[in-house]
Amino acid sequence: GGLTVAGLDVCVVTGLELSVAGSPSELTGTQTATAAVARDALAFEGAEAHVAVSAVFSDGRRQQLTRADGLEVRSRDNLTLVVTDDGSATAPYGIRVPVGALSASGALVEAVWRPLGACGGAAAVARGEGNVTVALPAADSATLTVSVERLTVTGDPAAVAGVDTVATLTAALQYPSRVVDATGDARTRFDVEGGAPLRLVQVQQGGATTAWQVEANATAAPGTYTIAVAFDHEPVAAVVAVTVVRFADLAVRASPWPAYTGSELRDTGVLTQINGTSPVVFQRAQLHVAMLLTDGSTLDGLADDATYRLYEPGTDNLVTGGGGSAVAEVQSQGLTRLVVPSGVPGAVDVEAVFAGGAAVGGTRFPVAVTLDGVRVASFLGPSVSPSGSLTGVLGGGASKQV
């Protein structure tokens, strides 16, 4: 007539919800909270739950059991569930849906209680089963995205101008209740249609795939290529397009300097002296360099990083010094490149070179220096910079550059 163990109560818990009766304004003093245990189905790979096990005695009393009490929890189907262990003797066991799991439902968890000190082969005091439902829905769709949709080849002048040479791919699976990043999944398959133009690079860390990248091969011809993704475990797929561009041409032109509103839109190839200046001052021009790519787009603002050559007009005869001659020279003013006349009338052709790329067909920008002379028609300003001030002696004069 002694106390005996009637059995084990095994409960698989996916969540816990607490609720308190009454409105917030009524919550004063001591209140009673109601706990509701969630036992929802596990619906995705990696989903986890806790396994709570209690020993039920013949007198109706219960005792919560842990590893410290000699409790063992096992999975009856390792293709559907695996038991997790955080190393704590007092924490409850856990279960997790493994990668590649199969859907199943029923008594998938078994609990065995052997008293502390019992031999491994000793008979169990009690056993129990826990019901679990693993219902893995099929993916509704897939997406494939790329960090940049335009690439160029390493070493191409377009790469120096800022066009990316590497793009990162991201593959995702859309399920009814969640989106899963499947980029690093071993069951994800990337493929480049046509194969040769683009190269897929697997990025790994600690033996695991962390990213997939795509690069353009050195021999890749300009054009648009399709990358596809498919999955061994899901009947969905997706594609994304990547365009390979290369350097096509380089254009150089000049506009009036100092700049004013709208001056960058006006080409000027004739520089002359400004009448009334002493010593004589000549007009100057700001150089602009743009790269044309094979997809028809342009990259502007390359003048500061280009090098320049001056040629005798209509010839391939490089003038002395390359960037300067008796007629004009290219000078730097901050991040601006200027054509500055030397004071001798004549003409030169200006060629820009960027990362080894020059104008196709040897097209150059002609600059003529004349003594015709122009006069100042109007002033824009004058103004004094915020840090400037005029000082002087009473009754005298003062000046400051404006």
Side-chain angles (χ1 to χ4, degrees), residues 343-357:
V344 178
V348 292
D349 290 343
V350 181
E351 178 186 59
V353 179
F354 183 90

Side-chain angles (χ1 to χ4, degrees), residues 283-295:
Q283 294 172 313
R284 294 171 291 170
Q286 178 182 355
L287 290 170
H288 303 274
V289 177
M291 182 183 298
L292 177 66
L293 302 178
T294 51
D295 65 349

Side-chain angles (χ1 to χ4, degrees), residues 143-146 167-173 179-190 201-204 208-213 229-231 233:
T143 59
L144 178 59
T145 57
V146 63
T168 300
L169 298 170
T170 302
L173 288 167
V179 177
V180 175
D181 186 344
T183 306
D185 196 308
R187 299 164 295 178
T188 300
R189 308 294 179 195
F190 296 97
V201 180
Q202 188 176 16
V203 180
Q204 292 189 323
T209 300
T210 58
W212 279 90
Q213 295 178 333
V229 65
F231 309 89
H233 60 302

